[in-house]
Amino acid sequence: MADLFGIGTSALRAAQLALDTTGNNIANVNTEGYSRQRVNLETLPPQGSGSRFVGSGVNVASIERTYSQFIEGEMLRYGSSSARYSAFSGISARLDQTMGSTGSAMSQAVDAVFSALQDVANNPTGAPERQFVLGETQSLVARQQSLYSAMDSLNLEVNARISSTVGEINSLTSGIARLNERIAAASAGGGSPNDLLDQRDTLVRRLADKAGVTVNEQQDGAINIFLGGGQALVVGSRAERLTTTPDSYDASRLNVAVDGVSGSVTVNGFINSGELRGLLDVREDVLDTAIDQLGLLSAGIADTVNRQNGLGTDLAGNLGGDLFATVNVPVLGNTNNAGTAAPAVTITDVGDLQADRYRLDFNAGSWTLTRLSDAQSVSGAGPLNLDGFSVDVSAGAPANGDSFLIQPARAAAEQFAALNVDPDSIAAAAPLVLESSLANTGSLAIGDLQVTDAVDLPLAGPVTLTFNPDALGPGIPGFDVTGGITTTVAYDPAVDASGATLTLGLTGVSFTVSGIPVAGDTATVTNTAAGSGDNSNALELANLRSDTLLEGGSSSYQDVYSSLLSTVAVQTSQANANAEVEQALFDQVEASRQSVSGVNLDEEAANLLRYQQQYQAAAKIISTADLVFSTLLNATRR
């Protein structure tokens, strides 16, 4: 009866392992990443008995986990994508909320400045109105700087989260590498270290949430893990450590890098999903764009208001000065530059300025300035002109391969400031006074002063235009110009009576004379005196609010700001929608995993009873075998 004992013993052992496995399943019902395990049984080889074969019991072939490689791959994919859009939308939504509160206040502040300038136009010499303009400019700057600070704070937060996420990735990859080593050792003996495999899968899923990865399983049971773009993270039992490094142009920005033989190598481009990709994307697509658009608005307000104020005369009788600080555009050199070149940037036409970034490169003896958004470029020995600014490259000696980053709009966002000036410096009056003499006997009229440049102002002295029928020769009428300017200009009443534009050789200055003068009729052009009650330039300043002066003459201040608001809102909405979709897909895959690998307590309770009964039956086999053997022994004693 030794065979019956063996059969009972094998059955008892199989039932015990089944009970242990079921108990382990129940114990780990709430353990993260645990996969339900099951016992696979097989019959032992039968024993020959004459012409028959008699079974010899049961053997535990394996204890395996219920696992779907396809589902696991889908979990990595959707988990990584969900984490990417979640990180993106989290930062973008906060900026959107800030724009909705601080942003509306700034829009009102812009309107308040130009409403105050309109008040000055209504009362050009009024001290309270002038003081109110300066107060509103300070308020506008405070609103703008509050918004810029909020954007900059989000950039700092992105840096901190990139650094933190890289640290988490390194911890996860180190854990995976250690598990690889243990799994490979356990697998070498032919076993299946289920719990170790579950632990490793859990770490891989967490890693995929941080950065999109691809996983390749090796024959020894270990896995190799790569960033989506191909950079190795884990190879067998070795983990590559990621690090953060300052951007080679802008030290305030952190990039993700890996240490190489010749130093850190940036691997931003290898990261195609996960939280890290979301952080990198929101910085480039939302924060950078928002700051550049805010800078474009800031530069537009500062430059156009300063320019227009400079085209008028203040209460002291002087040409107006700046009300806002002038932007100083920094040129950020690459840390690998070998030359001594020191390019300098000047904004030449704010109307053509764009919310963009530019790279300046020196190669083969020539400079190239490239707009990074679309690779539009200009080349030459310099100066280089593109999008409303000029780059002087004459200082220093460049080396081949030197490059620089230029961000004109971003600099304007950071440096926007109102100057502390005297209220009297608001130039409400036009710089020149045009008058025709009351003693004229003809119908000579002068007016419609247009000033676009004050380089030739103020005049050296009063200018008198005297009509002379023979000014340019017998029978060729015109004006003899005397005083601060001496010249002769043509004017034929028969042709020009409806109006002729004169410049008197002054850059950016023109006016219109009309009517039918008679010989000796005069008109004068004089500098505006101190204390003038004229409001011509104040009206021009107030009208800047609605003029389309920016983005190539297509946008007003409010157009640019509305574009900023809508850009952030649209990107946030899209990110939220993407995050919801990806999370829903992940939840579906997670449900599928639970149906395949999760522990069902009802099923395990039923298994527990079944294996308990199997154990009891196996014990009965041994008991029966003992009884039969005892009966046989008793029979042989007779």
Side-chain angles (χ1 to χ4, degrees):
M1 299 307 299
D3 289 341
L4 188 57
F5 273 115
I7 291 172
T9 302
S10 67
L12 198 65
R13 184 168 55 250
Q16 181 64 59
L17 287 174
L19 283 169
D20 291 343
T21 301
T22 302
N24 189 52
N25 286 340
I26 294 172
N28 287 282
V29 64
N30 293 317
T31 300
E32 180 189 1
Y34 180 79
S35 298
R36 178 170 54 88
Q37 298 179 13
R38 65 186 179 192
V39 176
N40 294 322
L41 303 177
E42 64 181 8
T43 60
L44 287 171
Q47 296 180 356
S49 177
S51 61
R52 305 176 189 84
F53 288 91
V54 179
S56 58
V58 66
N59 179 54
V60 177
S62 64
I63 301 176
E64 66 177 10
R65 58 181 186 147
T66 53
Y67 170 83
S68 169
Q69 186 173 5
F70 172 77
I71 291 177
E72 192 66 28
E74 291 294 280
M75 286 194 67
L76 297 183
R77 173 187 171 190
Y78 291 120
S80 183
S81 184
S82 176
R84 172 186 181 180
Y85 290 114
S86 179
F88 187 106
S89 65
I91 297 293
S92 183
R94 288 171 57 192
L95 177 60
D96 191 35
Q97 292 170 359
T98 300
M99 300 293 294
S101 54
T102 305
S104 61
M106 182 177 171
S107 179
Q108 295 167 3
V110 173
D111 280 337
V113 168
F114 294 99
S115 294
L117 287 168
Q118 182 62 54
D119 291 341
V120 171
N122 296 335
N123 185 17
T125 59
E129 288 83 357
R130 289 169 169 269
Q131 186 62 55
F132 193 61
V133 168
L134 300 183
E136 293 298 343
T137 60
Q138 294 289 351
S139 178
L140 170 60
V141 168
R143 298 294 186 186
Q144 187 272 356
Q145 284 296 291
S146 175
L147 188 53
Y148 172 75
S149 295
M151 294 176 179
D152 193 49
S153 293
L154 288 174
N155 259 325
L156 294 176
E157 180 178 332
V158 168
N159 277 347
R161 288 183 58 179
I162 287 175
S163 181
S164 174
T165 302
V166 165
E168 293 179 60
I169 288 174
N170 288 335
S171 177
L172 290 169
T173 54
S174 296
I176 292 170
R178 289 193 297 269
L179 285 170
N180 267 348
E181 187 173 13
R182 294 175 63 187
I183 289 170
S187 299
S192 177
N194 296 322
D195 293 331
L196 294 179
L197 292 171
D198 282 344
Q199 291 176 31
R200 187 177 67 183
D201 286 345
T202 298
L203 294 184
V204 172
R205 284 194 291 271
R206 292 177 183 172
L207 178 61
D209 287 347
K210 302 302 176 184
V213 296
T214 56
V215 180
N216 296 327
E217 188 170 356
Q218 306 303 301
Q219 291 183 349
D220 62 357
I223 56 174
N224 294 339
I225 300 179
F226 302 87
L227 287 174
Q231 170 63 43
L233 288 180
V234 178
V235 178
S237 60
R238 189 182 81 254
E240 294 287 348
R241 289 189 61 82
L242 296 182
T243 186
T244 55
T245 182
D247 185 81
S248 57
Y249 294 101
D250 184 356
S252 68
R253 298 164 66 92
L254 288 183
N255 291 325
V256 183
V258 63
D259 291 332
V261 176
S262 57
S264 296
V265 178
T266 299
V267 294
N268 288 6
F270 289 95
I271 303 168
N272 60 11
S273 193
E275 182 180 352
L276 267 184
R277 184 69 265 166
L279 293 172
L280 293 170
D281 284 346
V282 77
R283 180 173 69 184
E284 182 173 347
D285 298 341
V286 177
L287 295 179
D288 285 352
T289 300
I291 290 176
D292 285 342
Q293 287 185 304
L294 179 62
L296 180 61
L297 173 63
S298 304
I301 292 174
D303 186 86
T304 55
V305 169
N306 285 348
R307 184 181 296 273
Q308 189 61 53
N309 199 59
L311 298 179
T313 298
D314 62 20
L315 282 181
N318 301 315
L319 291 173
D322 289 349
L323 300 182
F324 293 95
T326 302
V327 177
N328 177 28
V329 181
V331 179
L332 306 177
N334 191 293
T335 55
N336 297 316
N337 287 353
T340 60
V345 173
T346 303
I347 296 178
T348 55
D349 186 353
V350 75
D352 288 333
L353 202 63
Q354 295 194 24
D356 217 319
R357 302 197 306 161
Y358 304 81
R359 192 182 66 246
L360 178 66
D361 300 294
F362 183 80
N363 284 293
S366 178
W367 290 95
T368 300
L369 179 64
T370 305
R371 187 167 59 218
L372 296 182
S373 63
D374 58 7
Q376 180 71 30
S377 65
V378 293
S379 299
L384 303 175
N385 297 286
L386 182 63
D387 294 344
F389 68 94
S390 178
V391 184
D392 181 359
V393 293
S394 60
N400 278 333
D402 283 359
S403 63
F404 303 83
L405 180 67
I406 301 172
Q407 305 172 97
R410 190 184 190 95
E414 183 178 1
Q415 299 173 22
F416 189 57
L419 298 177
N420 186 19
V421 298
D422 191 296
D424 289 353
S425 65
I426 297 173
L432 300 174
V433 177
L434 309 177
E435 293 180 311
S436 58
S437 174
L438 295 176
N440 291 345
T441 56
S443 58
L444 175 63
I446 184 171
D448 191 24
L449 176 66
Q450 301 292 323
V451 181
T452 59
D453 198 326
V455 65
D456 292 331
L457 299 179
L459 299 174
V463 175
T464 301
L465 287 75
T466 304
F467 182 71
N468 181 357
D470 302 311
L472 281 81
I476 305 177
F479 289 101
D480 293 325
V481 182
T482 58
I485 299 174
T486 303
T487 187
T488 303
V489 294
Y491 181 83
D492 186 350
V495 177
D496 301 323
S498 60
T501 300
L502 304 181
T503 66
L504 302 185
L506 298 172
T507 302
V509 178
S510 67
F511 54 89
T512 300
V513 291
S514 61
I516 302 175
V518 299
D521 282 358
T522 63
T524 58
V525 180
T526 58
N527 293 319
T528 300
S532 171
D534 178 59
N535 70 348
S536 301
N537 201 53
L539 289 172
E540 294 293 335
L541 283 166
N543 289 337
L544 292 175
R545 168 169 36 191
S546 57
D547 289 345
T548 53
L549 301 172
L550 306 180
E551 297 185 313
S554 64
S555 302
S556 66
Y557 304 138
Q558 291 296 351
D559 291 336
V560 173
Y561 193 66
S562 295
S563 176
L564 167 58
L565 293 176
S566 62
T567 298
V568 174
V570 168
Q571 289 177 320
T572 300
S573 177
Q574 291 176 341
N576 288 338
N578 289 335
E580 290 176 3
V581 169
E582 296 299 323
Q583 184 61 47
L585 292 172
F586 177 79
D587 290 342
Q588 291 178 8
V589 176
E590 172 66 16
S592 297
R593 181 190 176 279
Q594 285 298 321
S595 68
V596 172
S597 302
V599 175
N600 184 312
L601 288 177
D602 291 337
E603 181 181 347
E604 297 304 320
N607 286 338
L608 201 60
L609 292 174
R610 182 159 60 94
Y611 295 138
Q612 182 183 8
Q613 291 173 350
Q614 180 183 345
Y615 188 88
Q616 291 171 342
K620 190 65 175 178
I621 292 174
I622 295 176
S623 176
T624 300
D626 179 65
L627 179 60
V628 172
F629 190 67
S630 296
T631 301
L632 179 61
L633 289 177
N634 290 334
T636 57
R637 291 195 185 104
R638 297 174 182 173

